[in-house]
Amino acid sequence: MTEKEQLRPIGQKSIVEQIIDSIMDAIVGGVYRPGTKLPSEFELMEQMQVGRNSLREAMKVLSAMGIVEIKRGDGTYISTQMNASAFDRVIYSMVYDAATGGELLELRQVLDEATVRLAMEKITPEECALLQEGIAAMRLAAQKGDVAQMQACDLAFHMGLIESCKNAFFIRIMKGVYSVFERSIGENIRIEQVDSQVPDYHQRLLDCVRGKDHAAVAAAVADSLRTWKDRV
């Protein structure tokens, strides 16, 4: 490892947590790839300027999270298959690197379009029917002014559409991204309330999927994000 790639020194507050953050930052930054063997305990202590007990405690936490694998007599490796919580942590870091609302809007536009296009090729009639039922439930909630139910239906629709893509890696990424956007989506629905056009936006997306209408996808997604963009 070069001097530039070395982990940053650690301060004196919340040592264990800062060690974990430092290693996660190194993973996100590409310093450590899956399957990479970490430097020795002594080298890590020197790089981060921490004590052995704090480092070992941090490694126990990282191991429990599935981020590292501790192999007795061999060393510590970055896991080749991180569990969901670890993967979501990486996704959070990447999403929050998009510092402006405009960048977040562009990110969601691109990902939502990709979801609709992939769903066109893989969705089943049964999945389409479930999404249609969800839109009907969303309309009923809107008529009743049940904002919480509308929010639940909105999220369920997107999760159902994502699941219909039948690509495990894509599904993991999209669920992680939507967990970041969930609060702003819910806030948008609460502000629009009974006059919400959310069911209509979702119907257009589903119509694109059913009709395999690639030409209409960009406009349908853009319209569905027209009011949400003010919340990011």
Side-chain angles (χ1 to χ4, degrees):
M1 179 178 290
T2 66
E3 182 177 348
K4 183 179 180 180
E5 291 173 332
Q6 289 186 358
L7 298 173
R8 55 181 170 77
I10 295 298
Q12 296 302 310
K13 185 178 180 180
S14 303
I15 301 298
V16 171
E17 184 174 311
Q18 290 186 62
I19 293 172
I20 293 170
D21 286 344
S22 181
I23 292 175
M24 287 301 304
D25 287 345
I27 295 172
V28 172
V31 175
Y32 296 133
R33 309 290 297 177
T36 300
K37 184 177 181 179
L38 290 175
S40 69
E41 186 176 78
F42 177 77
E43 289 173 316
L44 289 175
M45 289 166 56
E46 287 289 310
Q47 287 179 27
M48 293 187 284
Q49 300 174 25
V50 297
R52 178 176 282 106
N53 289 340
S54 294
L55 179 61
R56 288 182 176 178
E57 185 63 30
M59 288 302 174
K60 287 180 182 178
V61 174
L62 289 168
S63 177
M65 292 172 65
I67 295 172
V68 303
E69 297 178 58
I70 301 174
K71 299 181 180 180
R72 301 300 177 189
D74 185 7
T76 301
Y77 292 78
I78 302 300
S79 297
T80 54
Q81 293 185 337
M82 292 185 186
N83 63 22
S85 64
F87 193 59
D88 285 348
R89 168 70 167 77
V90 176
I91 291 173
Y92 271 51
S93 298
M94 291 189 294
V95 170
Y96 280 120
D97 277 345
T100 69
E103 288 170 330
L104 289 173
L105 177 62
E106 287 177 355
L107 174 65
R108 191 173 169 200
Q109 173 87 31
V110 169
L111 292 176
D112 279 5
E113 285 186 29
T115 300
V116 173
R117 295 183 193 280
L118 191 55
M120 286 180 185
E121 307 305 320
K122 298 188 176 183
I123 200 166
T124 65
E126 292 77 16
E127 288 169 328
C128 277
L130 286 174
L131 291 175
Q132 189 65 67
E133 290 175 10
I135 293 173
M138 195 182 303
R139 291 191 188 283
L140 182 59
Q143 292 170 6
K144 294 180 177 179
D146 189 340
V147 179
Q149 182 60 25
M150 284 183 65
Q151 182 179 354
C153 289
D154 182 287
L155 186 60
F157 177 90
H158 287 288
M159 292 301 103
L161 197 60
I162 290 166
E163 289 283 357
S164 75
C165 293
K166 300 175 181 65
N167 180 306
F169 187 61
F170 183 77
I171 290 170
R172 184 67 252 166
I173 290 175
M174 288 302 297
K175 286 188 174 181
V177 170
Y178 261 83
S179 68
V180 176
F181 291 150
E182 184 176 355
R183 181 176 178 181
S184 60
I185 291 172
E187 183 179 330
N188 188 58
I189 292 174
R190 285 193 295 274
I191 291 174
E192 290 185 343
Q193 294 188 8
V194 178
D195 295 328
S196 175
Q197 299 180 64
V198 171
D200 294 331
Y201 294 145
H202 287 70
Q203 187 64 59
R204 285 186 63 191
L205 294 176
L206 183 56
D207 288 346
C208 285
V209 172
R210 277 177 166 156
K212 298 186 184 298
D213 191 352
H214 286 274
V217 173
V221 171
D223 283 347
S224 74
L225 301 179
R226 188 159 47 85
T227 54
W228 173 82
K229 67 181 181 182
D230 296 327
R231 313 288 173 240
V232 297

